[in-house]
Amino acid sequence: MAVANFFDKIALGASQILKGYDRSEFEKILLSHRILIFFDDNAGTTLEGRATLDLLVRLIARLYPVIQIENVQSSCYVEELKRLALQINPKIEFADSERPTICVTVGKTTYSGDSSTFYIGSDNWITRFSLGQPVGSSSSNNPFGAGAAACIGAANVFRCVFQDQLQYGAVDQDFSLSLLDFSLSSNSNELFIQSLHLDEVVLVGLGAIGNGVVWALQKTPGITGDLVIIDDECVALSNLQRYVLTDQDSINISKATIIKNYLNESKLSVLPEVVKWSSYVSGRKNWQIETVLTCVDSAEDRIVIQGALPKTIFNAWTQRENLGVSRHLSFNQTPCLCCLYYPTQIKKSRSQEIADNLNISGYENVIREYLANNLPLDEKLIQLVSSANEISGIELRPFLGSSVNIFYSEVVCGGILMKLKGPANEEVRQGIDVPLAFESALAGLLLAAELFKNKLGYIPQDPSASIQINLLRPLTPYLNVPEVKMTSCICNDHIFQDIYAKKWGF
Ligand SMILES: [Zn+2]
């Protein structure tokens, strides 16, 4: 029994949200739990039940080193789920004969053990959660209520395990949430996915949120259309911390290849573009881009995407206080994507951010030179970083020859530097956020849900409102947040407005 080989990244994420974080204590707590995923044939044989279980295992197996998977009625779906867990963390232990500490139940059967139990399930667009009784899984073709249930279940397990270290970490009370209007009381559910043509959809960013989007696309039978997937990076070990479609075989493979392979059996025509957005747009023959899904990680990238004036943009994010989704259906009338990311303060340059977070602030010019000339990491830079941080250079040497961007992303953002220095010696870092896997997955699911709802003709009550959810505390009844058009934004500039109107006719 052992934690996963991407534990440094998990530890970095935990250090950002848990009070009084201590790495060995954190590891001890994780190892002391046995998380049971308990289900029946209702869950094992319906599309929704299987979707919930699949995503739940993808989330739970990334974090907890000891789990149990049990179908109370038959052996249906058990071995498949165990294989999936082992592909994510080959050192995971299935403690099947021991008493679980926490149980997540999917299906219609009551769990009779005495551990804390969360019942999750779904019906089309409705996600259900209960502390006391089974909520069942329906047999629709819709994976959204089902996928959200898995994220809610994983979030409640996390809050239960770390309740003493989280400020608002109580578990949820019973609820039904409709992903149509995001109301906890309406039970709005009258929209059905049978077959659906998506036309052309451009998905920008195949990170953790993009993985959530694609999980939902793959789990929806009968969708057709052209899906352009854009990302120029490869999967790194630390990405396994929250990319739900990745496993040990994904490392060093391009993110676009992983996604294309995952959608192999889908009826979607998938066009991978292993480039940045700017190269994709300049290489494209026309700029008539109908629908863009943005899962990128910076405000700058979002502003550039909005600048190309696609007809419709759906956008998702994760940040410290919440995850969310925004819809941008009409550039000229409603808040555009830039309105939400309007710069309010001067941001550090990339080279300064890297230098600061490597604790070599005075050497920003050196980092700038490495970045500008694409120079590989060499002994000189390793020396500089290890002596500034008073650590041995041995653990940094495997990165010799890598780009400074990869070194930074694995050593600082991947948690290696924190492990070497210990969190007590860590300074506050800027520009690094490590969401939990269930946060990113839910953001991606909600993004895909907005695309589907739009293509099915669903009109939200307030289309310009964003949806915001904080999974580190119980769900609140108000998830729709009004957004406003910024007066000095490009969407109020008549030159941009005229181009948009000429392109799209309104
Ligand atoms: Zn705007």
Side-chain angles (χ1 to χ4, degrees), residues 13-316:
S15 75
Q16 294 180 339
I17 48 174
L18 300 181
K19 280 186 291 184
Y21 168 83
D22 171 86
R23 184 182 170 113
S24 61
E25 184 62 19
F26 173 64
E27 190 171 336
K28 212 163 89 191
I29 293 174
L30 284 177
L31 287 166
S32 71
H33 276 277
R34 293 169 298 280
I35 313 296
L36 168 62
I37 295 171
F38 181 84
F39 62 104
D40 60 12
D41 283 345
N42 160 248
T45 56
T46 53
L47 183 141
E48 291 188 41
R50 289 171 73 89
T52 300
L53 288 165
D54 175 88
L55 189 55
L56 188 62
V57 168
R58 289 175 189 275
L59 297 170
I60 296 291
R62 260 161 237 285
L63 183 58
Y64 304 94
V66 190
I67 68 169
Q68 303 168 336
I69 297 176
E70 182 188 344
N71 179 341
V72 67
Q73 289 175 327
S74 71
S75 59
C76 170
Y77 209 28
V78 173
E79 285 312 310
E80 217 172 317
L81 292 173
K82 283 189 172 176
R83 268 201 305 278
L84 178 61
L86 278 168
Q87 280 162 3
I88 294 164
N89 176 12
K91 298 181 205 157
I92 205 162
E93 181 189 330
F94 299 109
D96 287 341
S97 54
E98 290 177 54
R99 180 183 164 273
T101 54
I102 297 173
C103 171
V104 186
T105 298
V106 189
K108 293 182 172 169
T109 307
T110 304
Y111 173 66
S112 58
D114 57 359
S115 8
S116 306
T117 303
F118 305 122
Y119 293 94
I120 56 171
S122 58
D123 174 16
N124 201 21
W125 295 97
I126 293 178
T127 291
R128 295 211 160 96
F129 175 88
S130 173
L131 294 172
Q133 60 209 19
V135 290
S137 296
S138 294
S139 54
S140 80
N141 270 353
N142 182 340
F144 293 104
C151 298
I152 299 278
N156 276 281
V157 172
F158 186 82
R159 300 209 299 265
C160 187
V161 168
F162 295 105
Q163 54 194 316
D164 295 338
Q165 289 88 0
L166 287 165
Q167 197 174 0
Y168 304 102
V171 299
D172 279 298
Q173 296 301 308
D174 294 15
F175 69 79
S176 290
L177 171 70
S178 167
L179 301 188
L180 282 183
D181 58 6
F182 291 93
S183 154
L184 282 169
S185 52
S186 80
N187 278 344
S188 170
N189 210 11
E190 291 301 306
L191 185 71
F192 299 97
I193 306 174
Q194 296 301 341
S195 59
L196 176 63
H197 186 66
L198 296 176
D199 300 311
E200 185 192 59
V201 175
V202 178
L203 172 61
V204 197
L206 305 176
I209 298 176
N211 273 232
V213 170
V214 173
W215 178 88
L217 295 178
Q218 197 266 355
K219 289 278 174 284
T220 318
I223 52 164
T224 52
D226 295 327
L227 178 71
V228 181
I229 51 173
I230 303 178
D231 200 305
D232 66 334
E233 293 181 348
C234 287
V235 174
L237 172 64
S238 66
N239 295 148
L240 270 59
Q241 175 256 351
R242 67 177 187 277
Y243 286 31
V244 291
L245 303 184
T246 60
D247 59 32
Q248 298 290 327
D249 293 335
S250 312
I251 298 160
N252 294 331
I253 297 178
S254 99
K255 292 177 183 176
T257 304
I258 300 287
I259 297 300
K260 169 130 176 90
N261 290 345
Y262 186 70
L263 289 170
N264 242 348
E265 286 173 22
S266 150
K267 291 180 191 148
L268 286 168
S269 159
V270 183
L271 310 161
E273 294 278 355
V274 187
V275 292
K276 292 197 185 300
W277 165 261
S278 52
S279 311
Y280 167 71
V281 172
S282 59
R284 195 182 151 110
K285 301 246 167 10
N286 70 69
W287 283 32
Q288 295 291 116
I289 306 175
E290 288 256 352
T291 311
V292 175
L293 306 183
T294 53
C295 314
V296 292
D297 52 14
S298 75
E300 293 83 347
D301 288 347
R302 289 183 172 92
I303 289 167
V304 173
I305 291 168
Q306 178 64 82
L309 297 178
K311 184 176 180 188
T312 307
I313 299 176
F314 298 99
N315 166 61

Side-chain angles (χ1 to χ4, degrees), residues 331 334-340 485-486 489-492:
F331 178 79
T334 54
C336 79
L337 183 55
C338 298
C339 288
L340 269 66
K485 222 167 163 61
M486 305 293 281
C489 184
I490 58 166
C491 60
N492 272 319

